[in-house]
């Protein structure tokens, strides 16, 4: 991180609320967790009286099986954002130009700026048309947040090959890919895949994730990561969750079915984007976004003001939750 770049940097707004009176549709996390999570956490808490093994062998093996790569390629991190920061810190220098998609996750540009580098914004759906040779790093989000749509797999893999040929690393944020049945780019040469466990498994406060990389990129990530990257509870619960294949399959089906139902219901009042993710982006048109968010809160529901994303000025984002909860959201949005 460039110390001079920290001055003037700002925090990035995110969804989520800690108000227990609100039903939270502003954060895109699973409202359910796998069976046995509490037992796994309780067992890990007792072992937290000693340091965890810094090489995290069980966690690496579970992550490798989860995304189909080699355990050696897995670099444990406390959440997907930590994998993103670690990649940018070990790749980008002051003065570099980095391709950042928009509208997309605001932390990409922030991390680039904290390195003293320049974020060059490109529409997320035009990224695969760019020449990667022009950049020190290219970032993509798959599926993209907040729009929800995923890239065509063949086109993304072909672009990854172009990045490798240009000697430009490709950082793929796969935070929401686990909600889909699409293949990960984890383990592909020239690619760093950033994964989050906290969204799919409903544990955002646990802070567990990992990066997957090959060759010199993997070596740099491994050398630069902090010692004892994960606490024992995060590591052990992460292992437990990544083995919950039935839970993942059930979650994917529920999200797919509920997302389609919600989109059909909302389409007569809003312009609703197609989505492969556990959320929907709504264009509220001439309605005032702040008023929509405020009136939803007055009805006990939190939705995400998406105008904080670059390029959006009339949008809100809503998560896909459980059927009865989604019914409540639909009732609220029908009124507002």
């Amino acid at each position: 991180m460039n110390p001079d770049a920290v001055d003037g940097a700002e925090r990035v707004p995110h969804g989520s609320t800690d108000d227990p009176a609100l039903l939270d549709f502003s954060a895109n996390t699973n409202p359910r967790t796998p069976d046995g999570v509490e037992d796994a956490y309780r067992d890990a808490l007792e072992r937290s009286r000693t340091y965890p093994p810094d090489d995290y062998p069980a966690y690496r093996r579970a992550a490798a099986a989860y995304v189909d790569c080699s355990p050696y390629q897995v670099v444990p991190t406390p959440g997907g954002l930590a994998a993103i920061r670690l990649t940018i810190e070990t790749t980008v220098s002051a003065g570099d130009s980095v391709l950042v998609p928009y509208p997309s996750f605001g932390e990409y540009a922030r991390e680039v700026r904290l390195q003293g580098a320049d974020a060059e914004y490109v529409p997320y759906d035009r990224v695969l048309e760019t020449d990667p040779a022009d950049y020190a790093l290219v970032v993509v989000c798959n599926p993209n947040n907040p729009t929800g749509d995923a890239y065509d797999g063949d086109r993304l893999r072909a672009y990854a090959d172009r990045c490798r040929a240009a000697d430009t690393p490709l950082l793929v944020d796969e935070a929401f890919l686990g909600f889909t049945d699409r293949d990960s780019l984890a383990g592909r040469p020239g690619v760093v895949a950033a994964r989050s466990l906290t969204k799919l498994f409903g544990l955002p406060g646990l802070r567990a994730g990992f990066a997957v990389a090959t060759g010199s990129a993997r070596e740099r990530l491994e050398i630069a990561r902090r010692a004892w990257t994960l606490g024992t509870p995060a590591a052990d619960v992460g292992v437990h969750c990544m083995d919950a294949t039935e839970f993942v399959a059930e979650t994917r089906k529920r999200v797919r079915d509920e997302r389609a139902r919600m989109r059909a219901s909302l389409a007569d009042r809003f312009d609703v984007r197609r989505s492969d993710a556990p959320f929907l982006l709504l264009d509220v048109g001439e309605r005032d976004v702040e008023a929509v968010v405020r009136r939803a809160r007055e009805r006990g529901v939190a939705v995400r003001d998406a105008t904080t994303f670059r390029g959006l000025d009339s949008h809100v984002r809503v998560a896909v939750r459980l059927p009865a909860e989604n019914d409540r959201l639909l009732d609220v949005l029908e009124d507002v």
Side-chain angles (χ1 to χ4, degrees), residues 116-285:
D118 298 321
E120 182 170 329
Y121 290 99
V122 173
Y124 78 96
D125 53 357
R126 300 286 300 276
V127 169
L128 305 190
E129 302 170 15
T130 64
D131 184 354
D134 296 335
Y135 307 100
L137 175 71
V138 173
V139 182
V140 296
C141 183
N142 189 39
N144 187 54
N145 176 23
T147 60
D149 46 336
Y151 290 93
D152 175 80
D154 290 338
R155 290 192 66 210
L156 184 57
R157 285 185 289 270
Y159 186 76
D161 292 342
R162 290 178 58 201
C163 288
R164 186 185 182 198
D167 200 27
T168 298
L170 175 64
L171 170 59
V172 184
D173 182 0
E174 298 182 342
F176 297 103
L177 195 67
F179 287 91
T180 79
D181 58 3
R182 293 170 179 260
D183 293 334
S184 170
L185 262 64
R188 195 174 189 89
V191 172
V192 179
R195 299 290 298 222
S196 167
L197 302 185
T198 55
K199 296 176 177 62
L200 178 60
F201 298 111
L203 296 165
L206 195 66
R207 310 313 304 147
F210 56 93
V212 179
T214 65
S216 61
R218 182 265 171 200
E219 296 298 326
R220 292 171 66 84
L221 294 174
E222 181 62 29
I223 291 170
R225 74 172 178 87
R226 291 172 174 82
W228 305 298
T229 307
L230 293 176
T232 300
D236 286 12
V237 172
V239 170
H240 176 82
C241 288
M242 286 186 283
D243 191 45
T245 54
E246 184 174 338
F247 173 85
V248 172
E250 291 173 350
T251 296
R252 289 175 176 174
K253 183 180 186 307
R254 169 174 54 81
V255 169
R256 183 175 61 249
D257 293 347
E258 283 298 295
R259 184 178 61 221
R261 182 175 74 89
M262 293 170 66
R263 186 168 186 251
S265 177
L266 292 166
D268 62 342
R269 296 185 300 283
F270 306 101
D271 181 8
V272 187
R273 294 291 296 265
R274 184 190 69 80
S275 176
D276 301 291
F279 51 84
L280 291 167
L281 183 67
L282 317 180
D283 187 338
V284 302

